[in-house]
Amino acid sequence: MSAQKDANFATQCIHGGQDPDPLTGSVMTPIYQTSTYAQEEPGKHKGYEYARTGNPTRDALQRNLAAIEKGEQAICFSSGLAAMDNVLKLLQPGDEVLASDDLYGGSYRLLTAVFGPFGIKSRFIDMRDPANVEKEISAATKMLWIETPTNPMLNIVDIAALTKIAAERQLLSVVDNTFASPYLQQPLTMGADLVLHSATKYLGGHSDVVMGAVITRNEDLAKRLYYLQNAAGAVPGPQDCFLVLRGIKTLHLRVQRACENARKIVEVLQKNDLVANIYYPGLPDHPRHEVAKRQMRDFGAMISFDLKEDTLAAATQVMKHTKLFTLAESLGGVESLVGHPASMTHASIPREQRLSVGLTDSLIRLSVGVEDADDLVKDLEQALAAAVQQPA
Ligand SMILES: *Cc1c(COP(=O)(O)O)cnc(C)c1O
């Protein structure tokens, strides 16, 4: 049976929002692969009319997401950016968004290139210091767009401090919780109005689905987002909803293991002579380590580091030689990935601007998976060694 509201996190992952199928007793939520539903007479039906408006597999996932983020309602969309697109449709022309200056590239593009021409202005500011955020708020500001940890510099933003400011100034606070997952932090419990996920990452967890979600406790915001989900129509398909529901059943196990692996990899990188800087919130000398400790259960499985030989060629050599770490965009799957932000996800940002935030030419980003830590460590060590022996 569906878990009670006070059940703990692992129980919610597995049971939250899901009851055996009423028709057959099927323990797993079936994939209701249909576009429409039979009606007995006009307007008399079992609660479902058309699948853009509602689908039982999607409903189960939405209840589950609400449970694991400690929200009341969740609304799913066909991708993380579709979820963001609909959140931004809560605004009016003339409104302004204040967003983190270290932001997912696609979020930056949506804010500037898509919503800019519709009269929604965005400014990108350093959110690490809450006083700086307070200072930047203008009469037009209506929304704070918070990402933490950030990509790829793994900066930490104090969620409770910023949502408090947002509430005092009557701004909507939105936290993109993709990098942490609800296993590590639950922003609604820290005062956020909306939590956003690219379910493509940790929630799905197996690199086989693209999806997004928004979770809230606010009835009015939920109503408006359900309205937009149906009216704008960026809904996920039932098979994808099934895959994310299944992924979430092991979310706590996967993220916990990935965090343990990340810790072991950081220890090895610290001892490696070729490595210059390591960006990982679990290090005591990370500038916001104390905030991370307070608001996160563990420090995540994303690590960035750069090389003493700070060139694209040196980084390329490392990435060419990893065998287990696959060179690919994305993150949060069971398999470990390696990426090069300067040439991949952040290539569109001018070099000077990149360098000013520490995103150097040799910066390498790891999404640590759940393989055996010893194998991951060995793979990285041999790739670093091979890179020195064969300079480009
Ligand atoms: C991937 C990602 C998104 C976008 O999600 P899609 O599912 O790819 O549309 C948004 N925010 C963050 C932090 C992401 O990593």
Side-chain angles (χ1 to χ4, degrees):
M1 293 300 285
S2 167
Q4 299 297 309
K5 264 211 142 85
D6 62 355
N8 293 305
F9 188 78
T11 307
Q12 293 293 8
C13 283
I14 294 163
H15 297 283
Q18 299 160 80
D19 291 309
D21 183 48
L23 189 63
T24 63
S26 165
V27 170
M28 289 301 122
T29 305
I31 302 168
Y32 283 90
Q33 191 78 46
T34 186
S35 64
T36 191
Y37 308 86
Q39 307 196 9
E40 270 173 61
E41 54 184 77
K44 193 168 174 209
H45 50 73
K46 297 175 163 48
Y48 294 97
E49 293 163 90
Y50 185 61
R52 172 165 29 73
T53 319
N55 176 288
T57 318
R58 192 172 89 204
D59 284 351
L61 173 60
Q62 291 181 154
R63 289 192 302 266
N64 178 262
L65 286 166
I68 63 174
E69 275 290 6
K70 289 205 184 298
E72 292 292 337
Q73 321 253 13
I75 306 94
C76 287
F77 296 95
S78 52
S79 71
L81 285 179
M84 180 174 184
D85 179 71
N86 283 277
V87 168
L88 294 175
K89 285 173 182 153
L90 297 170
L91 300 171
Q92 301 290 325
D95 289 351
E96 181 187 71
V97 180
L98 286 185
S100 302
D101 58 2
D102 192 20
L103 191 70
Y104 177 70
S107 304
Y108 176 84
R109 181 175 56 201
L110 187 61
L111 284 167
T112 53
V114 179
F115 278 87
F118 285 97
I120 290 167
K121 203 179 144 206
S122 296
R123 275 192 295 129
F124 302 90
I125 60 166
D126 187 344
M127 289 192 162
R128 285 173 292 181
D129 178 9
N132 185 50
V133 177
E134 181 118 55
K135 200 179 71 199
E136 293 283 354
I137 293 169
S138 76
T141 308
K142 290 283 150 43
M143 184 181 280
L144 293 188
W145 193 275
I146 301 161
E147 219 183 275
T148 180
T150 66
N151 174 28
M153 299 315 299
L154 283 313
N155 287 319
I156 298 291
V157 172
D158 187 334
I159 297 174
L162 292 203
T163 61
K164 183 164 175 279
I165 293 170
E168 283 164 6
R169 306 289 291 261
Q170 298 190 324
L171 316 176
L172 278 178
S173 54
V174 189
V175 177
D176 182 337
N177 203 25
T178 302
F179 260 48
S181 90
Y183 173 74
L184 295 180
Q185 69 190 15
Q186 294 169 312
L188 297 177
T189 67
M190 297 176 236
D193 294 309
L194 296 168
V195 168
L196 180 129
H197 277 282
S198 167
T200 315
K201 318 294 168 52
Y202 285 104
L203 297 181
H206 296 73
S207 306
D208 52 10
V209 61
V210 171
M211 199 193 294
V214 185
I215 304 102
T216 185
R217 292 175 172 181
N218 180 310
E219 185 77 37
D220 293 337
L221 291 175
K223 264 201 195 125
R224 182 65 186 161
L225 286 165
Y226 278 127
Y227 179 83
L228 288 168
Q229 182 192 42
N230 180 52
V235 293
Q239 167 130 358
D240 288 352
C241 292
F242 172 86
L243 285 172
V244 174
L245 264 176
R246 187 167 76 166
I248 291 171
K249 287 182 193 295
T250 55
L251 176 68
H252 53 300
L253 303 173
R254 288 185 286 108
V255 179
Q256 185 179 26
R257 175 66 174 270
C259 288
E260 286 166 17
N261 284 354
R263 234 189 309 282
K264 290 180 187 160
I265 287 169
V266 166
E267 278 170 24
V268 169
L269 289 175
Q270 281 180 305
K271 288 184 217 140
N272 195 300
D273 288 340
L274 306 167
V275 173
N277 303 290
I278 302 170
Y279 301 94
Y280 169 69
L283 288 173
D285 63 356
H286 183 286
R288 293 287 182 284
H289 177 65
E290 289 306 318
V291 179
K293 239 164 84 176
R294 194 178 341 121
Q295 70 188 18
M296 299 174 79
R297 189 202 294 253
D298 202 335
F299 300 107
M302 299 300 297
I303 305 165
S304 291
F305 65 96
D306 59 10
L307 304 174
K308 289 199 179 128
E309 188 186 331
D310 182 31
T311 62
L312 170 61
T316 301
Q317 284 302 316
V318 175
M319 289 177 289
K320 260 169 71 174
H321 284 93
T322 57
K323 295 189 172 79
L324 279 176
F325 281 89
T326 305
L327 178 61
E329 295 196 10
S330 200
L331 62 119
V334 287
E335 67 290 308
S336 295
L337 299 180
V338 58
H340 184 245
S343 67
M344 293 166 72
T345 44
H346 293 64
S348 59
I349 300 171
R351 184 165 182 270
E352 288 313 308
Q353 200 180 323
R354 270 199 284 112
L355 293 178
S356 72
V357 298
L359 204 169
T360 55
D361 293 337
S362 69
L363 191 85
I364 293 171
R365 190 190 83 175
L366 304 178
S367 168
V368 179
V370 300
E371 300 94 334
D372 287 294
D374 290 349
D375 294 330
L376 294 176
V377 162
K378 249 191 253 167
D379 189 40
L380 269 184
E381 284 186 323
Q382 67 79 24
L384 283 159
V388 194
Q389 282 151 23
Q390 306 177 18

